[in-house]
Amino acid sequence: MNTARLRDRLAASDPGLLRLAAGLRTVGAIALTLAVLGLLKADVPHLVAGAIAAMVATFAIREKQRAPQAVTLALGLPVALASMSLGALLSSRVVAGDLFFVVLIFCAVYGRRFGDRGTALGLIGFQVYFVSLFVGATVSGLPGLYGVLGVAFLCSAAARFLLVPETPAGLLERLREAFRVRLAQLVSAQLQLLDAGPEEIDEALKDVREGTARLHETALMIQGRLEEGTSDAAAARLVQRRVADAEIAAERLGLLLLSARSAERADTLTLHLPGAPAPRAGRMTGRDEAMAQVHRDLEALRLLVLRPVAARSGTALSQVRNRLLGYREEENLPPAPPAVQDVFRGVGEAARAVLGLRIALDGPQDESDDSPATARSREELDAEDAVIDAGVEDAGTQEKLTGLRRPTTRAAVQVAVGSSLAIVGGEFLSSQRWYWAVLTCWIVFMNTASTGEILVKGYRRLLGTVLGVLAGIVLAGAVGQHTWTAFALVLVLVFAMFYTAPLSYTLMSFFVTAALGLLYTLLHTYSLSVLVLRVEETALGAACGVIAAAFVLPVRTDRRTNDLLVTVLERLGEVTEAAVDQLSGSSPVELLDQARDLDQALADLRAATQPLTHPITPLRARRDTARYVVALLETCAYHARSLAATAELLSTHPSIAADPRLRRAGRRIGDNIAAIAAHVADERSTDRVETGPSIASLLDTEVPGTPRFGRVTDRVLRHVQRLDETVTGLARPLHVPVAAPKR
């Protein structure tokens, strides 16, 4: 049991074990290279060159399929040999060497426009040239260095394909497991929210918020790996649908719990805005007994997520599953206040989503203990599966996103100018180690697209370097001249660097600087002055990067965030319009792909606003506005995803049917989204946000005696209403004029 719990925690903290695999693969490549070179009696400079080359050859490869990885690795070796040769040839020609380095940097960054392979080859070329400078490569020593590079690339291939192999199907399977564990953790957080007292509710709500975000992160990772990890297109679509269903059901359950804790209806924004006040518990007749039942049902739901209902499990889990799925029938709901009954319905929908996820991932289940409610749920899932299978041929492509990449030419020019400044300034600081400034300038431009992002990354790089220098002093003094002890510590630090890289850039910089301190010790060039120079060169490189980003073809942070905000609003409008049209009776379209595009656009915007929301930013009001806008957009995205998922149930779900009146209600939402996007793109826009009657009132019928809502469920109405309110709420922080309600 302890082993299983540890495995679950690891799967949840590192979805797909991506960070663990990257760390082990890189460390394995370095260790194997050192072992081979050690057997060949290589000297310390060659050991250092081999270790760095093996690390570069391993982490530079980004393709997901094994065959393209092998091709890129094979092409990388001649690139590395050429880069090492030029580094040695130009080491004594200062001006020519500097000019070539700038050209190399430009080409390496420009190569990103050719995809993962271009990015990898550019990275290998730059880093190996850096290695030649680091170890002081000479023309006479090139034959030995060629052999070192060959060993490093062969060992990198062995680590990638033999020691720590990774297949798209295996990675997808680990991501699925991570989704299951994170779903169970979210249910646990919801349980804590249910039981939290007045002093504990804020912390419990924070845990629910983080659990919801982590589940969504894993869902996006799964969607990004489905095409490569699944040979059957229909199976991929099915998994994508079931993951989306489970995510939406879990988030909806959290919102219903918030409502049940409060006498007033909970605001959806509470789940998306850090620091938002939690609703306080109100008193309702029969509430305590019903909430105790909710607690037991959430425990049961968590058990269903963690353990499959198999024949050996006995009938206990089957009975639990049957009871929870029974809540989807109105007559099976326990007596409770309306808000708590909504929670029971949410538990039933979550149980159905878990059942669908189990069937999609594990295949058919034992049906011998099914209750009538469970059998109906299975029939609905089977009908949905048939619709998904039939619609695979019409699935939309993802190609439209490829044109949204940032301009590589601008980035290449900026890096070239920044590196030129870093070379000139670095030469004044040190004629031997000026390249550290260039390396920092190069690094701060990687995966950044605006001046603000570069500034934040440069600050984090400098902070990690300062702390790493302090650690390097301690480690170098402890290790002394014990070569293999130092290399062993380097391996530990390299693993920590790759394991923490996606979590904290500051930590990554700390570990890499500490490792470099040990390498300096091995090369007999360690001194306190060298480590201080490392900090100075890092600060200079970061400053040069910021200067180049600010004055050479600049992309201001507000301009980039505005562009991405317009993209998010456009994607939101597309999903909302398509979902509402389908719910109004239009022909089906591919909603899941559109919802995925919306999620990706929102993730890009969230990353781009980091400079605005960073704790050290002096513009507090702007920081709060950015957080509030992103939270509103996350709320909109949740309701749009829910509408899309509901719309796809039209052909199979007996309680959901098209209602043409929804089109009139959805038109106002679409017009408001377009008005906000137009105003963000051009402040001179005269478009206004329209307000008016509630969505429910727009569905009133003019025929006496006709049911007000027809067969459109309350769930659809709630999502449309909250989406309408949240879109209107975007007008205030974005300074979009609001028109008076029409009478």
Side-chain angles (χ1 to χ4, degrees):
M1 181 62 69
N2 289 335
T3 302
R5 186 177 296 112
L6 179 62
R7 186 174 61 249
D8 285 349
R9 288 182 177 179
L10 182 60
S13 64
D14 182 15
L17 303 182
L18 290 172
R19 291 185 285 122
L20 179 64
L24 291 177
R25 189 178 300 116
T26 307
V27 168
I30 296 173
L32 192 57
T33 301
L34 292 175
V36 173
L37 293 178
L39 292 175
L40 295 175
K41 308 297 184 182
D43 57 16
V44 171
H46 284 156
L47 290 174
V48 171
I52 299 177
M55 180 177 69
V56 173
T58 305
F59 78 75
I61 310 299
R62 300 184 179 186
E63 285 98 341
K64 297 175 182 177
Q65 298 284 357
R66 292 164 66 88
Q69 290 175 3
V71 172
T72 302
L73 194 60
L75 293 174
L77 180 57
V79 170
L81 295 175
S83 187
M84 181 66 76
S85 301
L86 289 168
L89 288 170
L90 298 174
S91 60
S92 59
R93 297 171 175 84
V94 177
V95 176
D98 291 350
L99 290 176
F100 172 76
F101 204 7
V102 173
V103 173
L104 175 63
I105 290 170
F106 177 89
C107 294
V109 177
Y110 189 80
R112 297 178 190 177
R113 72 162 47 207
F114 302 107
D116 290 338
R117 181 162 297 159
T119 301
L121 295 179
L123 188 59
I124 289 171
F126 171 83
Q127 294 285 4
V128 172
Y129 191 88
F130 167 79
V131 171
S132 71
L133 299 174
F134 186 69
V135 299
T138 61
V139 175
S140 60
L142 279 177
L145 289 171
Y146 289 162
V148 167
L149 290 177
V151 169
F153 273 74
L154 286 175
C155 291
S156 176
R160 177 175 296 276
F161 300 118
L162 298 177
L163 297 181
V164 191
E166 182 179 279
T167 62
L171 176 57
L172 181 60
E173 182 63 32
R174 295 197 299 272
L175 285 172
R176 293 170 179 174
E177 182 68 11
F179 183 85
R180 179 187 65 81
V181 176
R182 284 192 166 182
L183 179 58
Q185 288 182 342
L186 177 55
V187 175
S188 298
Q190 292 170 347
L191 263 169
Q192 294 175 2
L193 176 64
L194 182 68
D195 298 336
E199 299 81 11
E200 304 165 333
I201 188 170
D202 290 328
E203 187 65 27
L205 180 59
K206 178 183 176 182
D207 291 341
V208 170
R209 186 185 300 121
E210 291 178 351
T212 303
R214 285 158 62 89
L215 185 69
H216 183 59
E217 173 196 20
T218 311
L220 288 179
M221 293 174 71
I222 291 175
Q223 292 173 2
R225 300 280 179 168
L226 276 173
E227 293 182 6
E228 294 82 8
T230 308
S231 57
D232 184 358
R237 300 293 301 169
L238 178 60
V239 172
Q240 181 183 10
R241 171 62 181 275
R242 295 303 172 221
V243 166
D245 286 347
E247 180 193 356
I248 291 171
E251 187 166 2
R252 182 185 297 122
L253 181 57
L255 294 172
L256 293 173
L257 284 168
L258 284 174
S259 295
R261 280 196 57 101
S262 175
E264 300 293 332
R265 188 164 189 79
D267 190 338
T268 316
L269 188 63
T270 309
L271 268 186
H272 301 292
L273 183 61
R280 302 301 170 180
R283 303 301 302 174
M284 291 180 282
T285 305
R287 182 179 185 279
D288 292 340
E289 182 178 348
M291 295 298 269
Q293 179 63 43
V294 169
H295 185 282
R296 291 191 292 270
D297 288 338
L298 287 177
E299 291 276 12
L301 179 62
R302 181 175 60 182
L303 191 63
L304 285 181
V305 173
L306 290 174
R307 295 177 58 189
V309 182
R312 184 171 295 183
S313 301
T315 59
L317 278 177
S318 300
Q319 291 174 354
V320 167
R321 178 198 60 196
N322 293 340
R323 175 166 57 82
L324 299 187
L325 288 172
Y327 292 152
R328 302 186 66 230
E329 309 288 344
E330 292 295 319
E331 60 271 16
N332 294 330
L333 293 176
V340 182
Q341 283 200 329
D342 282 344
V343 176
F344 286 119
R345 294 186 184 96
V347 170
E349 290 299 327
R352 178 190 185 273
V354 171
L355 176 64
L357 193 63
R358 285 288 184 192
I359 294 174
L361 299 182
D362 302 331
Q365 310 278 302
D366 180 22
E367 303 178 17
S368 59
D369 295 325
D370 281 0
S371 66
T374 302
R376 280 191 292 273
S377 294
R378 288 191 191 277
E379 291 171 1
E380 292 173 6
L381 292 169
D382 290 341
E384 292 171 19
D385 295 351
V387 172
I388 293 173
D389 290 342
V392 169
E393 297 83 7
D394 300 325
T397 66
Q398 308 289 324
E399 294 301 319
K400 59 184 178 181
L401 285 180
T402 58
L404 299 176
R405 296 175 181 174
R406 59 183 178 273
T408 52
T409 303
R410 177 189 290 115
V413 172
Q414 288 178 324
V415 176
V417 172
S419 298
S420 300
L421 295 175
I423 289 173
V424 174
E427 289 279 7
F428 280 107
L429 289 177
S430 171
S431 59
Q432 283 81 34
R433 295 183 176 84
W434 53 268
Y435 46 81
W436 286 120
V438 182
L439 179 66
T440 299
C441 183
W442 155 279
I443 289 176
V444 297
F445 271 95
M446 293 180 65
N447 300 319
T448 55
S450 71
T451 306
E453 291 178 72
I454 292 170
L455 178 61
V456 171
K457 192 170 184 179
Y459 151 76
R460 290 172 174 168
R461 177 81 178 182
L462 181 59
L463 177 60
T465 299
V466 171
L467 297 176
V469 164
L470 298 177
I473 294 173
V474 175
L475 291 175
V479 171
Q481 296 300 317
H482 296 84
T483 301
W484 294 108
T485 302
F487 273 122
L489 283 175
V490 167
L491 291 178
V492 173
L493 293 170
V494 167
F495 175 82
M497 177 181 70
F498 280 92
Y499 195 78
T500 60
L503 303 178
S504 170
Y505 186 72
T506 301
L507 275 178
M508 188 202 75
S509 301
F510 166 79
F511 287 121
V512 70
T513 303
L516 287 171
L518 291 173
L519 294 180
Y520 278 135
T521 303
L522 293 173
L523 293 173
H524 305 290
T525 56
Y526 166 79
S527 68
L528 182 59
S529 61
V530 168
L531 294 180
V532 171
L533 178 64
R534 167 92 168 109
V535 174
E536 294 173 345
E537 296 279 4
T538 299
L540 174 65
C544 292
V546 172
I547 291 171
F551 295 103
V552 181
L553 304 175
V555 178
R556 307 297 182 192
T557 302
D558 54 355
R559 173 186 162 189
R560 173 162 169 76
T561 53
N562 282 349
D563 290 344
L564 291 175
L565 177 56
V566 171
T567 301
V568 171
L569 291 169
E570 289 174 349
R571 299 289 179 268
L572 177 63
E574 292 169 359
V575 175
T576 302
E577 180 182 3
V580 172
D581 281 351
Q582 193 161 321
L583 287 165
S584 303
S586 298
S587 57
V589 296
E590 197 53 61
L591 292 172
L592 284 180
D593 284 342
Q594 292 185 359
R596 177 183 172 185
D597 292 347
L598 170 61
D599 287 334
Q600 186 57 57
L602 186 54
D604 293 341
L605 175 63
R606 192 184 299 110
T609 58
Q610 285 185 0
L612 303 178
T613 59
H614 196 275
I616 67 171
T617 180
L619 305 175
R620 304 298 183 184
R622 194 178 182 190
R623 179 191 64 185
D624 294 340
T625 298
R627 287 179 175 175
Y628 185 62
V629 168
V630 171
L632 285 172
L633 290 171
E634 288 177 339
T635 296
C636 290
Y638 160 68
H639 290 294
R641 285 197 306 268
S642 299
L643 285 174
T646 305
E648 293 208 341
L649 297 176
L650 279 175
S651 59
T652 59
H653 203 293
S655 65
I656 303 175
D659 190 323
R661 293 173 294 178
L662 272 176
R663 185 174 286 110
R664 179 175 55 174
R667 189 177 301 119
R668 184 173 78 190
I669 299 175
D671 291 344
N672 285 343
I673 293 174
I676 295 172
H679 190 82
V680 172
D682 183 1
E683 293 183 355
R684 296 169 295 180
S685 172
T686 58
D687 292 354
R688 293 173 176 266
V689 169
E690 300 287 343
T691 60
S694 68
I695 295 298
S697 66
L698 292 178
L699 300 184
D700 284 341
T701 178
E702 299 177 358
V703 181
T706 303
R708 185 180 184 189
F709 299 141
R711 290 189 294 160
V712 178
T713 63
D714 288 340
R715 183 171 67 189
V716 172
L717 288 177
R718 284 199 295 268
H719 287 308
V720 174
Q721 180 69 45
R722 294 298 294 133
L723 183 58
D724 179 59
E725 295 170 356
T726 309
V727 168
T728 303
L730 277 168
R732 181 177 62 82
L734 295 176
H735 307 293
V736 182
V738 179
K742 296 179 180 179
R743 298 190 181 275

